Amino acid sequence: MDASNRARSMGAARAPAAGGQSPNRRRRRLAGCLCGAPLALLCAAARAQECGQVLGVGKRSQFTRVVSAEQVEQAAARQYLQLKQQASTKNALASTSHPQLVRLRAIGERIVPI
């Protein structure tokens, strides 16, 4: 029995693919990031709104005169749809019934009561 067969029989793990991670792990990470990013943005926006109200932030940015909030929201929506489409073509999105996605959405609803 040579060394490679001996290592397999002893339960040695396979070496990861180039880049240090298996393709499945990378896909899961990407799907988690894509699913978690909107949740993180919602949390950050809610926190920023609370802080602004509590601290009484007054002076508005000069950029609000250059670009309207509607234009910023529309551009963000377009970019988000483009990102989702790119991820979809790479099969990097979880299905709507995927257990991890269902769990993440439930956590998000508990954290961000809208």
Side-chain angles (χ1 to χ4, degrees):
M1 186 183 292
D2 64 16
S4 63
N5 287 337
R6 213 171 321 150
R8 276 191 216 120
S9 68
M10 296 174 73
R14 283 184 166 172
Q21 295 179 351
S22 70
N24 288 336
R25 185 175 181 140
R26 280 184 288 211
R27 274 191 222 114
R28 284 193 305 255
R29 265 202 174 150
L30 179 60
C33 289
L34 290 175
C35 295
L39 177 64
L41 289 174
L42 283 174
C43 292
R47 177 66 69 187
Q49 188 175 16
E50 287 175 10
C51 290
Q53 290 172 351
V54 173
L55 298 176
V57 177
K59 187 177 178 183
R60 297 185 100 189
S61 171
Q62 293 179 358
F63 292 107
T64 58
R65 295 183 204 134
V66 177
V67 180
S68 71
E70 293 173 8
Q71 290 174 323
V72 172
E73 291 294 328
Q74 289 172 355
R78 279 194 307 271
Q79 288 177 354
Y80 178 67
L81 284 175
Q82 183 183 14
L83 181 68
K84 277 181 56 174
Q85 288 172 348
Q86 289 173 351
S88 179
T89 59
K90 295 177 183 178
N91 292 327
L93 294 177
S95 68
T96 56
S97 61
H98 192 277
Q100 287 180 333
L101 181 58
V102 171
R103 182 172 182 260
L104 271 174
R105 286 187 174 156
I107 291 169
E109 288 175 11
R110 282 183 287 181
I111 292 174
V112 184
I114 296 177

